[in-house]
Amino acid sequence: MPSEDEEHGSTTAKMFSWAAVTIVPSIRDGGRPRSMNQDHNAHETSGWLFVGTSKINGFGLFSSRTISSGDVVGKLFGAVLPVAHKRTIQIDRHRHLCSDYIDFINHSCRPNAYVRVEGASIVLNAIEQIRSDTDEITIDYNCSEYSLAESFSCRCCQIPNRICGYRYLVETNQNDYLRRINRFALLHLAEMTSEVKRASINPLSR
């Protein structure tokens, strides 16, 4: 996940953990390329995905073939952590998926993909047609994160939105934004919001 202090798309190319995707050096491995069978996060998935230069931030995720609206873009695997940090995606209230490739999935307030949870993994689905070699694959971080470990200002809007997570949208009454994303937001976000509201009404229930 990006922060204002550090772009998650570094100018140093990094290792990407999709199987059968272009391999680039990893800053986590001293800048040396690793083969996929050395990466414990590598799993068989969509071979048409690759990392390229992003117009949003550093590097981004792309597809070498057109993906139709509603189709699966790919599946994300990795280590599951109990706490969030800027390079995780929240898959449940206390589970956060961590892997190198998350660095390359940039935020957009008008994304062309969304995530859904399958056990300890995430499936990326296309919201609209994603053109080959042209359209960067993006998600809205507010659709998975209740509260981002590090907030940031978006780079996709003329007037940047502050991206802090679903909780921030609720607390600042951004109802139009919430209505637009609710069908793509993961279920734990609404559940956590309801629990907070109930606790505020009845403090003894905490």
Side-chain angles (χ1 to χ4, degrees), residues 166 169-170 173-182:
Y166 192 88
L169 297 177
V170 174
N173 298 312
Q174 296 189 44
N175 296 323
D176 289 342
Y177 199 123
L178 286 166
R179 278 191 290 270
R180 175 161 53 82
I181 70 168
N182 265 338

Side-chain angles (χ1 to χ4, degrees), residues 6 12 109 117 137 156 187:
E6 176 184 349
T12 302
C109 295
V117 178
I137 299 165
C156 54
L187 293 178

Side-chain angles (χ1 to χ4, degrees), residues 40-193:
H40 71 281
N41 289 327
H43 292 258
E44 184 178 355
T45 186
S46 308
W48 53 84
L49 299 174
F50 67 95
V51 174
T53 302
S54 169
K55 293 181 180 179
I56 300 172
N57 184 25
F59 292 97
L61 181 65
F62 297 84
S63 171
S64 62
R65 74 182 197 186
T66 295
I67 300 173
S68 299
S69 174
D71 283 358
V72 171
V73 176
K75 198 166 186 177
L76 289 66
F77 297 85
V80 177
L81 307 180
V83 294
H85 65 77
K86 63 185 177 183
R87 288 191 172 92
T88 60
I89 290 179
Q90 187 174 6
I91 59 175
D92 204 342
R93 62 186 62 202
H94 300 304
R95 296 192 303 160
H96 306 265
L97 188 71
C98 176
S99 191
D100 287 347
Y101 50 69
I102 289 175
D103 288 354
F104 300 104
I105 304 174
N106 282 314
H107 166 86
S108 174
C109 295
R110 297 282 183 175
N112 55 20
Y114 69 98
V115 299
R116 59 182 174 85
V117 178
E118 284 191 0
S121 64
I122 287 177
V123 176
L124 277 172
N125 285 82
I127 295 174
E128 60 189 42
Q129 184 185 76
I130 298 172
R131 294 173 298 171
S132 63
D133 302 321
T134 303
D135 294 336
E136 180 177 350
I137 299 165
T138 58
I139 63 172
D140 187 332
Y141 292 175
N142 291 311
C143 289
S144 62
E145 309 303 308
Y146 183 65
S147 183
L148 264 73
E150 294 188 20
S151 61
F152 62 97
S153 295
C154 80
R155 302 185 177 196
C156 54
C157 300
Q158 187 173 4
I159 300 175
N161 289 315
R162 192 69 188 165
I163 309 303
C164 303
Y166 192 88
R167 177 180 179 176
Y168 175 77
L169 297 177
V170 174
E171 291 177 346
T172 55
N173 298 312
Q174 296 189 44
N175 296 323
D176 289 342
Y177 199 123
L178 286 166
R179 278 191 290 270
R180 175 161 53 82
I181 70 168
N182 265 338
R183 74 188 188 108
F184 303 115
L186 296 180
L187 293 178
H188 64 265
L189 301 177
E191 293 170 355
M192 294 172 74
T193 300

